[in-house]
Amino acid sequence: APPPPLPTPRRPPPALDVRGLWDALRPTRARDYLPTAAESPWGVPGADSLLNVSGHASTFVRFLASTLVPFVDARYRTNA
């Protein structure tokens, strides 16, 4: 009988494109986490401005307190 076929070697997972991921998520992350309006993500001249999407951290925190936390508390045991 012929020998069994050799297993196909696994390819490594593709590298994570951190820069691409940041660029794709930057508008929402800047909106949610920057407490004040920011000109650019790193203060880099010529970078895309974040002024129109940043500075909404208080809105995000209000959502967490008024919507998300009550939702989780109603569905899961959250007290020890």
Coordinates of all heavy atoms in Angstrom, one line a residue:
A1 N 0.8 -1.2 0.0 CA 0.0 0.0 0.0 C 0.9 1.2 0.0 O 1.9 1.3 0.7 CB -0.9 0.0 1.2
P2 N 0.4 2.3 -0.7 CA 1.3 3.5 -0.7 C 1.2 4.2 0.6 O 0.2 4.1 1.4 CB 0.6 4.4 -1.8 CG -0.8 3.8 -1.9 CD -0.7 2.4 -1.5
P3 N 2.3 4.9 0.9 CA 2.3 5.7 2.2 C 1.2 6.7 2.2 O 0.8 7.2 1.2 CB 3.7 6.3 2.3 CG 4.1 6.4 0.9 CD 3.5 5.2 0.2
P4 N 0.7 7.1 3.4 CA -0.3 8.2 3.5 C 0.2 9.5 3.0 O 1.4 9.7 3.2 CB -0.7 8.2 5.0 CG 0.4 7.6 5.7 CD 1.1 6.6 4.7
P5 N -0.6 10.3 2.5 CA -0.1 11.6 2.0 C 0.4 12.5 3.2 O -0.1 12.4 4.3 CB -1.3 12.3 1.3 CG -2.5 11.6 1.9 CD -2.0 10.2 2.3
L6 N 1.4 13.3 2.9 CA 1.9 14.2 4.0 C 0.9 15.3 4.2 O 0.2 15.8 3.3 CB 3.2 14.8 3.5 CG 4.4 13.8 3.4 CD1 5.6 14.6 2.8 CD2 4.7 13.2 4.7
P7 N 0.7 15.8 5.5 CA -0.2 16.9 5.8 C 0.3 18.2 5.0 O 1.4 18.4 4.9 CB -0.1 17.0 7.3 CG 1.1 16.4 7.7 CD 1.5 15.3 6.7
T8 N -0.7 18.9 4.7 CA -0.4 20.2 4.0 C 0.1 21.2 5.1 O -0.5 21.3 6.2 CB -1.7 20.8 3.4 OG1 -2.3 19.9 2.6 CG2 -1.4 22.1 2.7
P9 N 1.3 21.8 4.8 CA 1.8 22.7 5.8 C 0.9 23.9 6.0 O 0.3 24.4 5.1 CB 3.2 23.2 5.2 CG 3.2 22.7 3.8 CD 2.1 21.7 3.6
R10 N 0.8 24.3 7.3 CA -0.1 25.5 7.6 C 0.7 26.8 7.2 O 1.8 26.9 7.5 CB -0.4 25.5 9.0 CG -1.3 24.4 9.5 CD -1.7 24.6 10.9 NE -2.5 23.5 11.4 CZ -3.3 23.6 12.4 NH1 -3.5 24.7 13.0 NH2 -3.9 22.5 12.8
R11 N -0.1 27.7 6.7 CA 0.5 29.0 6.4 C 0.3 29.9 7.6 O -0.7 29.8 8.3 CB -0.2 29.7 5.2 CG 0.1 29.1 3.9 CD -0.3 30.0 2.8 NE -1.7 29.5 2.4 CZ -2.4 30.2 1.6 NH1 -2.1 31.4 1.1 NH2 -3.6 29.7 1.2
P12 N 1.3 30.7 7.9 CA 1.1 31.6 9.1 C 0.0 32.6 8.8 O -0.3 32.9 7.7 CB 2.5 32.3 9.2 CG 3.1 32.2 7.9 CD 2.5 30.9 7.2
P13 N -0.7 33.0 9.9 CA -1.8 34.0 9.7 C -1.2 35.2 9.1 O 0.0 35.6 9.3 CB -2.3 34.2 11.1 CG -1.2 33.7 12.0 CD -0.4 32.7 11.3
P14 N -2.0 36.0 8.4 CA -1.5 37.2 7.8 C -1.2 38.2 8.9 O -1.8 38.2 10.0 CB -2.7 37.7 6.9 CG -3.9 37.0 7.4 CD -3.4 35.7 8.0
A15 N -0.2 39.0 8.6 CA 0.2 40.0 9.6 C -0.9 41.0 9.8 O -1.7 41.4 8.9 CB 1.5 40.7 9.2
L16 N -1.1 41.5 11.0 CA -2.1 42.5 11.3 C -1.7 43.8 10.9 O -0.6 44.3 11.2 CB -2.4 42.5 12.9 CG -3.4 43.5 13.3 CD1 -4.8 43.2 12.8 CD2 -3.5 43.5 14.9
D17 N -2.5 44.5 10.1 CA -2.1 45.8 9.5 C -2.7 46.8 10.5 O -3.8 47.3 10.4 CB -2.8 46.0 8.2 CG -2.5 47.4 7.6 OD1 -1.7 48.1 8.1 OD2 -3.2 47.7 6.6
V18 N -1.8 47.1 11.5 CA -2.3 48.0 12.6 C -2.6 49.4 12.1 O -3.6 50.0 12.4 CB -1.2 48.1 13.7 CG1 -1.5 49.1 14.8 CG2 -1.0 46.7 14.3
R19 N -1.7 49.9 11.2 CA -2.0 51.2 10.6 C -3.3 51.3 9.9 O -4.1 52.2 10.0 CB -0.8 51.6 9.7 CG -1.0 52.9 8.9 CD -0.9 54.0 9.9 NE -1.0 55.3 9.1 CZ -0.7 56.4 9.6 NH1 -0.2 56.5 10.8 NH2 -0.8 57.5 8.8
G20 N -3.6 50.3 9.0 CA -4.8 50.2 8.3 C -6.0 50.1 9.2 O -7.1 50.7 9.0
L21 N -5.9 49.3 10.3 CA -6.9 49.2 11.3 C -7.2 50.5 12.0 O -8.3 50.9 12.2 CB -6.6 48.1 12.3 CG -7.6 47.7 13.3 CD1 -8.9 47.1 12.6 CD2 -7.1 46.7 14.3
W22 N -6.1 51.2 12.4 CA -6.3 52.5 13.0 C -7.0 53.5 12.1 O -7.9 54.2 12.5 CB -5.0 53.0 13.5 CG -5.1 54.5 13.9 CD1 -4.6 55.6 13.2 CD2 -5.7 55.0 15.1 NE1 -4.9 56.7 13.9 CE2 -5.6 56.4 15.0 CE3 -6.4 54.4 16.2 CZ2 -6.1 57.3 16.0 CZ3 -6.9 55.3 17.1 CH2 -6.8 56.7 17.1
D23 N -6.5 53.5 10.8 CA -7.1 54.4 9.9 C -8.6 54.1 9.7 O -9.4 55.1 9.6 CB -6.4 54.4 8.5 CG -5.0 55.0 8.6 OD1 -4.8 55.8 9.5 OD2 -4.2 54.7 7.7
A24 N -9.0 52.9 9.7 CA -10.4 52.5 9.5 C -11.3 52.8 10.7 O -12.4 53.3 10.6 CB -10.5 51.0 9.2
L25 N -10.7 52.7 11.9 CA -11.5 52.9 13.2 C -11.3 54.2 13.8 O -12.0 54.6 14.7 CB -11.1 51.8 14.2 CG -11.4 50.4 13.8 CD1 -11.0 49.4 14.8 CD2 -12.9 50.2 13.5
R26 N -10.3 55.0 13.3 CA -10.0 56.3 13.9 C -11.2 57.2 14.2 O -11.3 57.8 15.3 CB -8.9 57.0 13.1 CG -8.4 58.3 13.7 CD -7.2 58.8 13.0 NE -7.3 58.9 11.6 CZ -7.6 60.0 10.9 NH1 -7.7 61.1 11.6 NH2 -7.6 60.0 9.6
P27 N -12.0 57.4 13.2 CA -13.1 58.3 13.5 C -14.0 58.0 14.7 O -14.3 58.8 15.5 CB -14.0 58.3 12.2 CG -13.0 57.9 11.1 CD -12.0 56.9 11.8
T28 N -14.3 56.7 14.8 CA -15.2 56.3 16.0 C -14.4 56.3 17.3 O -14.9 56.6 18.3 CB -15.9 54.9 15.7 OG1 -14.9 54.0 15.5 CG2 -16.8 55.0 14.6
R29 N -13.1 55.8 17.2 CA -12.3 55.8 18.4 C -12.0 57.2 18.9 O -12.1 57.5 20.1 CB -11.0 55.0 18.2 CG -11.1 53.6 17.8 CD -11.9 52.7 18.8 NE -13.3 52.8 18.5 CZ -14.3 52.5 19.4 NH1 -14.0 52.0 20.5 NH2 -15.5 52.6 19.0
A30 N -11.7 58.1 18.0 CA -11.5 59.5 18.4 C -12.8 60.1 19.0 O -12.7 60.8 20.0 CB -11.0 60.3 17.2
R31 N -13.9 59.8 18.4 CA -15.2 60.3 18.9 C -15.4 59.8 20.3 O -15.8 60.6 21.2 CB -16.3 59.9 18.0 CG -17.7 60.4 18.5 CD -18.8 59.6 17.8 NE -18.8 58.2 18.2 CZ -19.0 57.2 17.4 NH1 -19.3 57.4 16.1 NH2 -19.0 56.0 17.8
D32 N -15.2 58.5 20.6 CA -15.5 58.0 21.8 C -14.5 58.2 23.0 O -14.9 58.3 24.1 CB -15.7 56.4 21.7 CG -16.9 56.1 20.8 OD1 -17.7 56.9 20.6 OD2 -16.9 54.9 20.4
Y33 N -13.3 58.3 22.6 CA -12.3 58.4 23.7 C -11.6 59.7 23.9 O -10.9 59.9 24.9 CB -11.2 57.3 23.5 CG -11.8 55.9 23.5 CD1 -11.6 55.0 22.5 CD2 -12.7 55.5 24.5 CE1 -12.1 53.7 22.6 CE2 -13.2 54.3 24.6 CZ -12.9 53.3 23.6 OH -13.5 52.1 23.6
L34 N -11.7 60.6 23.0 CA -11.0 61.9 23.1 C -11.9 62.9 23.8 O -13.0 63.2 23.3 CB -10.5 62.4 21.8 CG -9.4 61.6 21.1 CD1 -9.1 62.2 19.8 CD2 -8.2 61.5 21.9
P35 N -11.6 63.3 25.0 CA -12.5 64.2 25.8 C -12.6 65.6 25.1 O -13.6 66.3 25.3 CB -11.8 64.3 27.1 CG -10.4 63.9 26.9 CD -10.4 63.0 25.8
T36 N -11.6 66.0 24.4 CA -11.6 67.3 23.8 C -11.3 67.2 22.3 O -10.7 66.2 21.9 CB -10.6 68.3 24.4 OG1 -9.3 67.7 24.3 CG2 -10.8 68.5 25.9
A37 N -11.7 68.1 21.5 CA -11.5 68.1 20.1 C -10.0 68.1 19.8 O -9.2 68.8 20.4 CB -12.1 69.3 19.4
A38 N -9.6 67.2 18.9 CA -8.1 67.1 18.6 C -7.9 67.4 17.1 O -8.7 67.0 16.3 CB -7.7 65.6 18.9
E39 N -6.8 68.2 16.9 CA -6.5 68.5 15.5 C -6.1 67.3 14.7 O -6.5 67.1 13.6 CB -5.4 69.6 15.6 CG -4.9 70.1 14.2 CD -6.0 70.8 13.4 OE1 -6.8 71.6 14.0 OE2 -6.1 70.6 12.2
S40 N -5.2 66.5 15.2 CA -4.7 65.3 14.5 C -4.3 64.3 15.6 O -4.1 64.6 16.7 CB -3.5 65.7 13.6 OG -2.3 65.9 14.4
P41 N -4.2 63.0 15.1 CA -4.0 61.9 16.1 C -2.7 62.0 16.9 O -2.7 61.7 18.0 CB -4.1 60.6 15.3 CG -3.9 61.1 13.9 CD -4.4 62.5 13.8
W42 N -1.7 62.4 16.3 CA -0.4 62.5 17.0 C 0.2 63.9 16.9 O 1.3 64.1 17.2 CB 0.6 61.5 16.3 CG 0.0 60.2 16.0 CD1 -0.2 59.8 14.7 CD2 -0.5 59.2 16.8 NE1 -0.7 58.5 14.7 CE2 -1.0 58.2 16.0 CE3 -0.6 59.1 18.2 CZ2 -1.5 57.0 16.6 CZ3 -1.2 58.0 18.7 CH2 -1.6 56.9 17.9
G43 N -0.6 64.9 16.5 CA -0.1 66.2 16.4 C 0.8 66.4 15.2 O 1.7 67.2 15.1
V44 N 0.6 65.5 14.2 CA 1.5 65.4 13.0 C 0.9 66.4 12.0 O -0.2 66.4 11.6 CB 1.5 64.0 12.4 CG1 2.3 64.0 11.1 CG2 1.9 63.0 13.4
P45 N 1.8 67.4 11.6 CA 1.3 68.3 10.5 C 0.9 67.5 9.3 O 1.6 66.6 8.8 CB 2.6 69.2 10.3 CG 3.4 69.0 11.5 CD 3.1 67.6 12.0
G46 N -0.2 67.9 8.7 CA -0.6 67.3 7.5 C -1.5 66.1 7.7 O -2.1 65.6 6.7
A47 N -1.6 65.6 8.9 CA -2.5 64.4 9.2 C -4.0 64.8 9.0 O -4.3 66.0 9.2 CB -2.2 63.8 10.5
D48 N -4.8 63.9 8.7 CA -6.2 64.2 8.6 C -6.7 64.8 10.0 O -6.4 64.2 11.0 CB -7.1 63.0 8.3 CG -6.8 62.5 6.9 OD1 -6.3 63.3 6.1 OD2 -7.1 61.3 6.6
S49 N -7.5 65.8 9.9 CA -8.0 66.4 11.1 C -9.1 65.5 11.8 O -9.8 64.8 11.1 CB -8.7 67.8 10.7 OG -9.3 68.3 11.9
L50 N -9.1 65.6 13.1 CA -10.1 64.9 13.9 C -11.1 65.8 14.5 O -11.9 65.4 15.3 CB -9.4 64.1 15.0 CG -8.5 62.9 14.6 CD1 -7.8 62.3 15.8 CD2 -9.2 61.9 13.8
L51 N -11.0 67.1 14.2 CA -11.9 68.1 14.8 C -13.4 67.8 14.6 O -14.2 68.0 15.5 CB -11.6 69.5 14.3 CG -10.3 70.1 14.7 CD1 -10.0 71.4 14.1 CD2 -10.3 70.2 16.2
N52 N -13.7 67.2 13.5 CA -15.2 66.9 13.3 C -15.7 65.6 14.0 O -16.9 65.4 14.1 CB -15.5 66.9 11.8 CG -14.7 65.8 11.1 OD1 -13.7 65.4 11.5 ND2 -15.3 65.3 10.0
V53 N -14.8 64.8 14.5 CA -15.2 63.6 15.1 C -14.7 63.4 16.5 O -15.2 62.5 17.2 CB -14.7 62.3 14.3 CG1 -15.4 62.3 12.9 CG2 -13.2 62.2 14.2
S54 N -13.8 64.2 17.0 CA -13.3 64.0 18.3 C -14.0 64.9 19.3 O -14.8 65.8 19.0 CB -11.8 64.3 18.4 OG -11.6 65.7 18.0
G55 N -13.8 64.6 20.6 CA -14.3 65.4 21.6 C -15.7 65.0 22.1 O -16.4 65.8 22.7
H56 N -16.1 63.8 22.0 CA -17.4 63.3 22.4 C -17.4 62.3 23.5 O -18.3 61.5 23.6 CB -18.2 62.8 21.2 CG -18.4 63.8 20.1 ND1 -19.4 64.7 20.2 CD2 -17.7 64.1 19.0 CE1 -19.4 65.5 19.1 NE2 -18.4 65.1 18.4
A57 N -16.3 62.3 24.2 CA -16.1 61.3 25.3 C -17.3 61.4 26.3 O -17.8 60.3 26.8 CB -14.8 61.4 26.0
S58 N -17.7 62.5 26.6 CA -18.8 62.7 27.6 C -20.1 62.0 27.1 O -20.9 61.4 27.9 CB -19.1 64.1 27.9 OG -19.4 64.9 26.8
T59 N -20.4 62.1 25.8 CA -21.5 61.4 25.2 C -21.4 59.9 25.3 O -22.3 59.2 25.7 CB -21.7 61.8 23.7 OG1 -21.8 63.3 23.7 CG2 -22.9 61.2 23.1
F60 N -20.2 59.4 25.1 CA -19.9 58.0 25.2 C -20.1 57.5 26.6 O -20.7 56.5 26.9 CB -18.5 57.7 24.7 CG -18.2 56.2 24.7 CD1 -18.9 55.3 23.9 CD2 -17.1 55.8 25.4 CE1 -18.6 54.0 23.9 CE2 -16.7 54.4 25.3 CZ -17.5 53.5 24.6
V61 N -19.6 58.3 27.6 CA -19.7 57.9 29.0 C -21.2 57.9 29.4 O -21.7 57.1 30.2 CB -18.9 58.8 29.9 CG1 -19.2 58.6 31.4 CG2 -17.4 58.6 29.6
R62 N -21.9 58.9 28.9 CA -23.4 59.0 29.2 C -24.1 57.8 28.7 O -25.0 57.2 29.4 CB -23.9 60.3 28.6 CG -25.0 60.9 29.4 CD -25.4 62.3 29.0 NE -25.1 62.8 27.7 CZ -24.1 63.6 27.4 NH1 -23.4 64.1 28.3 NH2 -23.9 64.0 26.1
F63 N -23.7 57.3 27.5 CA -24.3 56.1 26.9 C -24.0 54.9 27.8 O -24.9 54.1 28.1 CB -23.8 55.9 25.5 CG -24.0 54.5 25.0 CD1 -25.2 54.0 24.6 CD2 -22.9 53.6 25.0 CE1 -25.4 52.7 24.2 CE2 -23.1 52.3 24.6 CZ -24.3 51.8 24.2
L64 N -22.7 54.8 28.2 CA -22.4 53.7 29.1 C -23.2 53.6 30.3 O -23.8 52.6 30.7 CB -20.9 53.7 29.5 CG -19.9 53.5 28.3 CD1 -18.5 53.8 28.9 CD2 -20.0 52.2 27.7
A65 N -23.4 54.8 31.0 CA -24.1 54.9 32.3 C -25.6 54.7 32.1 O -26.2 54.1 32.9 CB -23.8 56.2 33.0
S66 N -26.2 55.3 31.0 CA -27.6 55.3 30.9 C -28.2 54.1 30.1 O -29.4 53.8 30.3 CB -28.1 56.6 30.3 OG -27.6 56.6 28.9
T67 N -27.4 53.5 29.3 CA -27.9 52.4 28.4 C -27.2 51.1 28.6 O -27.8 50.1 28.9 CB -27.8 52.9 26.9 OG1 -28.4 54.1 26.8 CG2 -28.4 51.9 26.0
L68 N -25.9 51.1 28.5 CA -25.2 49.8 28.5 C -25.2 49.2 29.9 O -25.5 48.0 30.0 CB -23.7 50.0 28.0 CG -23.0 48.7 27.8 CD1 -23.6 47.8 26.8 CD2 -21.5 49.0 27.4
V69 N -24.8 49.9 30.9 CA -24.8 49.3 32.2 C -26.1 48.8 32.7 O -26.2 47.7 33.1 CB -24.2 50.3 33.3 CG1 -24.3 49.8 34.7 CG2 -22.7 50.6 32.9
P70 N -27.2 49.6 32.5 CA -28.5 49.0 32.8 C -28.9 47.7 32.0 O -29.5 46.8 32.5 CB -29.5 50.1 32.6 CG -28.7 51.4 32.7 CD -27.3 51.0 32.2
F71 N -28.5 47.7 30.8 CA -28.8 46.6 29.9 C -28.0 45.3 30.5 O -28.6 44.3 30.6 CB -28.3 46.8 28.5 CG -28.4 45.6 27.6 CD1 -29.5 45.3 26.9 CD2 -27.2 44.9 27.4 CE1 -29.6 44.2 26.1 CE2 -27.3 43.8 26.5 CZ -28.5 43.4 25.9
V72 N -26.8 45.5 30.8 CA -26.0 44.4 31.3 C -26.6 43.9 32.7 O -26.7 42.8 33.0 CB -24.5 44.7 31.4 CG1 -23.7 43.7 32.2 CG2 -23.9 44.9 30.0
D73 N -26.9 44.9 33.6 CA -27.4 44.6 34.9 C -28.7 43.9 34.8 O -29.0 43.0 35.6 CB -27.6 45.9 35.7 CG -26.3 46.5 36.2 OD1 -25.3 45.8 36.3 OD2 -26.3 47.7 36.6
A74 N -29.5 44.2 33.8 CA -30.8 43.5 33.7 C -30.7 42.1 33.2 O -31.6 41.2 33.5 CB -31.7 44.3 32.8
R75 N -29.7 41.8 32.5 CA -29.5 40.4 31.9 C -28.5 39.5 32.6 O -28.6 38.3 32.4 CB -29.2 40.6 30.4 CG -30.4 41.0 29.6 CD -30.1 41.6 28.3 NE -31.3 42.0 27.6 CZ -32.0 43.1 27.9 NH1 -31.7 43.9 28.8 NH2 -33.1 43.4 27.1
Y76 N -27.6 40.1 33.3 CA -26.6 39.3 34.0 C -26.5 39.6 35.4 O -26.7 40.7 35.8 CB -25.2 39.5 33.2 CG -25.3 39.2 31.8 CD1 -25.5 40.3 30.9 CD2 -25.2 38.0 31.3 CE1 -25.5 40.0 29.5 CE2 -25.3 37.7 29.9 CZ -25.4 38.8 29.0 OH -25.5 38.5 27.7
R77 N -26.0 38.7 36.2 CA -25.7 38.9 37.6 C -24.4 39.7 37.7 O -23.4 39.2 37.3 CB -25.6 37.6 38.4 CG -25.4 37.8 39.8 CD -25.4 36.5 40.6 NE -24.5 35.6 39.9 CZ -24.2 34.4 40.2 NH1 -24.8 33.9 41.3 NH2 -23.4 33.6 39.6
T78 N -24.5 40.9 38.1 CA -23.3 41.8 38.1 C -22.9 42.1 39.5 O -21.8 42.8 39.7 CB -23.6 43.1 37.4 OG1 -24.7 43.7 37.9 CG2 -23.8 42.8 35.9
N79 N -23.6 41.7 40.6 CA -23.2 42.0 42.0 C -22.6 40.7 42.5 O -23.1 39.6 42.3 CB -24.4 42.4 42.8 CG -25.0 43.7 42.3 OD1 -24.3 44.4 41.6 ND2 -26.2 43.9 42.7
A80 N -21.6 40.9 43.3 CA -21.0 39.7 44.0 C -21.8 39.2 45.1 O -22.6 39.8 45.7 CB -19.6 40.0 44.4

